[in-house]
Amino acid sequence: MQYTLCVLFGGASTEHKVSCRSTESVLNQIDREKYHVITVGITRDGRWLRYMGGDPAEIRSGAWEQHPDNRPCCISPDTGVHGLMYSDGTTERVDVIFPVLHGMNGEDGTMQGLFELARIPYVGCGVAASANTMDKAITKLFVDDLGITQARHVVVHRRKYLADPQRTAEEAVAALGLPLFVKPARAGSSIGVGKAKTIEEVRACIEDALQYDRKLVLEENIVGQEIEVAVFGDADGEVLTSCVGEIAPQAEFYTYEAKYDDEGTALFIPARISDDASVRVRSAAEKIYRCLSGFGLSRVDFFLRNGEEVVFNEINAIPGFTSISMYPQLFAASGIPYPELIDRLVMLAMER
């Protein structure tokens, strides 16, 4: 039996390009004998199109939007449709959805809510887990209760900053010291993230980050190895953690360019850490995943300070799936190759 798998990509998000790159890799790895694959793209301005071309490279390049046979469509919340509805009123049934969507309007619970209304199985975390992991400030509240060390931080809202920019910056420096990091609370792929070394740079970084979100998280600078763990499974049942990987960017921190464009960024799988540290990192990743009700997939990021202290950084509910992304590479190194990983994720979604 062939299942109809809808790969949903693009999105009205600052991470649209990353989604398209991930989707190219996913489509090249799916078992086409087991799955009848249909692709639906969302443009940057929010239009939904059933991509009728067959070349994954067109998705990466953006050429997919101009394919002459594309059909406007949407996922219907009507449970009787259980899939796509086209502009001419026709429908197409879908068995399961793989949302390869990064960032707002895809990874934050909004799309997952639509899937729930339609009662269509989907890969990845549910509504609450997606929303809570997307918001760095909310995630920190959960992790605080676990007793896992994380960077000291303050939350800055747009209104407060605009009321007194200098005072807001000074209070952040007094609480966190310099240098410090400024991050949009609900963005990924390091978009809008800045490292500030002076009070003037704090203000500049805040003003840049406010272009992406009205709520920001400012964090102390943590000096240590950047390490990551891929997690798979059901928060109530079996949870698998991969081996630990390490990122050694040539840039001052792991920027968007370092993640996707800089060939000089070094990846070490397994990470260059002790066995004891590896066990503690993996244990912390599982605890955070379970606490936030993770499902299917997540990547949990840490720092290892002085080769010993585990410091939580963030969790990603839909991690990158490009050919160089850590999530598939970590599981491949742990004995689950990319095509099998996709199949396991889809089967787990259908079981749910």
Side-chain angles (χ1 to χ4, degrees), residues 16 125 191 309 342:
H16 179 99
C125 292
I191 292 172
E309 184 183 13
I342 292 174

Side-chain angles (χ1 to χ4, degrees), residues 115-192:
F115 305 151
E116 293 281 355
L117 289 173
R119 297 184 189 171
I120 302 174
Y122 59 96
V123 170
C125 292
V127 176
S130 297
N132 290 333
T133 57
M134 187 69 192
D135 190 316
K136 297 177 179 64
I138 291 176
T139 299
K140 288 180 179 296
L141 295 175
F142 279 88
V143 176
D144 270 341
D145 283 343
L146 294 176
I148 295 173
T149 301
Q150 53 186 332
R152 290 180 294 116
H153 70 283
V154 296
V155 177
V156 172
H157 294 270
R158 182 196 304 269
R159 181 176 295 179
K160 177 184 177 182
Y161 175 75
L162 294 179
D164 194 337
Q166 186 64 21
R167 180 178 177 182
T168 302
E170 289 174 353
E171 289 177 347
V173 171
L176 306 174
L178 288 171
L180 60 78
F181 279 91
V182 179
K183 302 178 180 181
R186 294 160 293 196
S189 298
S190 297
I191 292 172

